[in-house]
Amino acid sequence: VLGVHNVTRNYPIALELVKHKDERRAFIDFINKKRYIPPNTIFLFDRGFYSENLVDKLISKDLKFICRLKSNMKIIDHN
């Protein structure tokens, strides 16, 4: 189950059943479907969600997000 919830107004935006157990893939499929995403949305992900592919997808779609990183993560700024 993939759930997207509005924490400000306390209601679900989307609930989807998927046949696999890959949370990242389910979310990428969700945003690729070009569903309506309210303006000023910030997605919040737990540490297990992080992947370079997910971050690249979110950035390419100009979506805002916050995610936990592993303590040994090395961040390189390419700018």
Side-chain angles (χ1 to χ4, degrees):
V1 175
L2 170 72
V4 179
H5 190 85
N6 181 321
V7 295
T8 304
R9 298 213 168 113
N10 197 26
Y11 65 87
I13 293 172
L15 291 171
E16 294 192 6
L17 295 175
V18 295
K19 294 183 180 184
H20 54 80
K21 295 181 181 182
D22 186 337
E23 295 171 322
R24 281 180 236 123
R25 185 173 134 204
F27 185 76
I28 289 171
D29 291 346
F30 171 79
I31 62 175
N32 281 337
K33 290 179 186 174
K34 298 185 180 182
R35 294 181 173 269
Y36 172 72
I37 298 173
N40 299 318
T41 296
I42 301 172
F43 291 101
L44 177 63
F45 301 103
D46 197 359
R47 181 177 50 202
F49 256 91
Y50 176 83
S51 76
E52 289 185 22
N53 183 37
L54 176 62
V55 169
D56 289 345
K57 229 8 138 173
L58 290 162
I59 290 170
S60 74
K61 295 191 172 288
D62 201 28
L63 296 172
K64 296 176 181 90
F65 63 95
I66 298 170
C67 65
R68 287 184 56 193
L69 301 175
K70 294 179 181 179
S71 62
N72 63 349
M73 182 86 182
K74 293 184 182 185
I75 300 173
I76 299 172
D77 185 0
H78 295 286
N79 294 325

